[in-house]
Amino acid sequence: AAGVIQSPRHLIKEKRETATLKCYPIPRHDTVYWYQQGPGQDPQFLISFYEKMQSDKGSIPDRFSAQQFSDYHSELNMSSLELGDSALYFCASSAPDPGGDYGYTFGSGTRLTVV
Amino acid sequence: QKEVEQNSGPLSVPEGAIASLNCTYSDRGSQSFFWYRQYSGKSPELIMFIYSNGDKEDGRFTAQLNKASQYVSLLIRDSQPSDSATYLCAVKGQAGTALIFGKGTTLSVSS
C-alpha cells in the first residue's frame, strides 16, 4: 500500500541557510500535518492543511512557512536555520473521516542537521 | 502544564508479562485517543485508537478510556522483546485540530 513519502531523508545545512522539506500524502488523504521531533522529545505539531488551506497551527516559528499544492503534496520551508532546528521532521496524512477518526499515517521523516 | 502526560519510564517487564502504559490529558473536550509505537529514529506507528469509554481490544493490545478521569491506558499482553519501543499517547480535540502527543513511555521487554 502507498505510504506517506517524505524527501529528502537526510539534510545537512549550515546556520542561516534555508531548507525545503517535501511531503507526498497517501492518495485520497485530504489533510497533511507537519511535526518536529527533537532528540528524546515528543512530536511537536507545527502546522496542518486541509484541502490546500491551513487548518490548524501549532508551535511553528515565524521563520518557517508551509503550503499544500493542488496535487496535495506539501512543502515546509525553513529559513535562517538555527542549531536548535536540528530534529526529525515528520509529515503525516489522514483521510476523510465521516465515520470516525482513524488517526494519522506518518512518513519516514526527514532528519535535518544544522551545523 | 503539558496537555498530555505520560510517565517517561523506562518501564521494564519480562517477556510474557503484561505491560501497562498510562496517559492523562487536560482537555475535557478531547474526543479521540490514540496509541503510537515509535522505534528509535523511526516514525510513529499507529497501534490503536479509542473514542468511547471502556475497553477496546485488538490482538495482544487493549486500550482503556475513562473520560471522567481523563485517563487512557494501553495494556500489552504476552509482551515480546520486539515490543521494546517508546509508546506515545496522542489526543485529539475537536474536528480539524491536530493530534497532541505526550512525551512517550519507553518500554523494555527482557527475554
Side-chain angles (χ1 to χ4, degrees):
Chain A
V4 178
I5 306 298
Q6 289 188 248
S7 66
R9 290 296 304 275
H10 303 274
L11 191 58
I12 300 175
K13 291 285 186 178
E14 295 188 354
K15 285 192 301 183
R16 293 179 290 277
E17 284 193 319
T18 62
T20 297
L21 310 185
K22 296 185 178 182
C23 169
Y24 296 84
I26 292 173
R28 291 181 293 281
H29 279 201
D30 58 2
T31 308
V32 169
Y33 309 84
W34 285 98
Y35 284 82
Q36 176 193 58
Q37 188 174 28
Q41 301 297 312
D42 54 301
Q44 291 290 315
F45 170 64
L46 295 178
I47 196 168
S48 63
F49 292 88
Y50 168 71
E51 287 291 342
K52 292 155 280 185
M53 298 289 290
Q54 181 180 309
S55 56
D56 197 5
K57 190 173 182 180
S59 53
I60 184 170
D62 292 340
R63 300 177 288 108
F64 294 7
S65 65
Q67 57 183 324
Q68 186 178 33
F69 295 86
S70 57
D71 64 352
Y72 291 94
H73 94 273
S74 179
E75 294 184 3
L76 177 66
N77 298 293
M78 312 160 71
S79 63
S80 302
L81 287 169
E82 302 173 355
L83 295 178
D85 295 329
S86 297
L88 268 170
Y89 289 83
F90 290 111
C91 171
S93 69
S94 65
D97 55 352
D101 193 332
Y102 302 108
Y104 306 168
T105 301
F106 281 83
S108 298
T110 293
R111 181 175 294 281
L112 172 66
T113 302
V114 181
V115 296
Chain B
Q1 181 186 358
K2 179 73 175 177
E3 295 180 47
V4 180
E5 298 276 359
Q6 294 181 255
N7 186 332
S8 62
L11 173 65
S12 297
V13 300
E15 184 175 358
I18 296 175
S20 178
L21 306 166
N22 304 315
C23 172
T24 58
Y25 58 95
S26 59
D27 182 3
R28 283 196 172 273
S30 300
Q31 299 181 356
S32 310
F33 308 87
F34 304 83
W35 283 99
Y36 282 83
R37 176 174 62 197
Q38 187 176 30
Y39 295 108
S40 180
K42 302 297 185 182
S43 59
E45 172 192 8
L46 181 65
I47 297 176
M48 291 196 69
F49 57 89
I50 186 168
Y51 314 137
S52 305
N53 280 327
D55 295 359
K56 178 181 179 182
E57 185 174 321
D58 184 1
R60 297 187 295 114
F61 300 96
T62 299
Q64 300 174 317
L65 175 61
N66 184 325
K67 289 186 177 181
S69 300
Q70 295 175 243
Y71 173 91
V72 59
S73 67
L74 179 70
L75 299 178
I76 306 175
R77 291 181 298 280
D78 188 24
S79 296
Q80 301 297 309
S82 59
D83 294 327
S84 299
T86 296
Y87 288 80
L88 298 164
C89 173
V91 174
K92 189 171 183 180
Q94 298 178 358
T97 59
L99 282 181
I100 304 299
F101 285 86
K103 289 193 175 297
T105 298
T106 300
L107 172 66
S108 177
V109 181
S110 56
S111 57

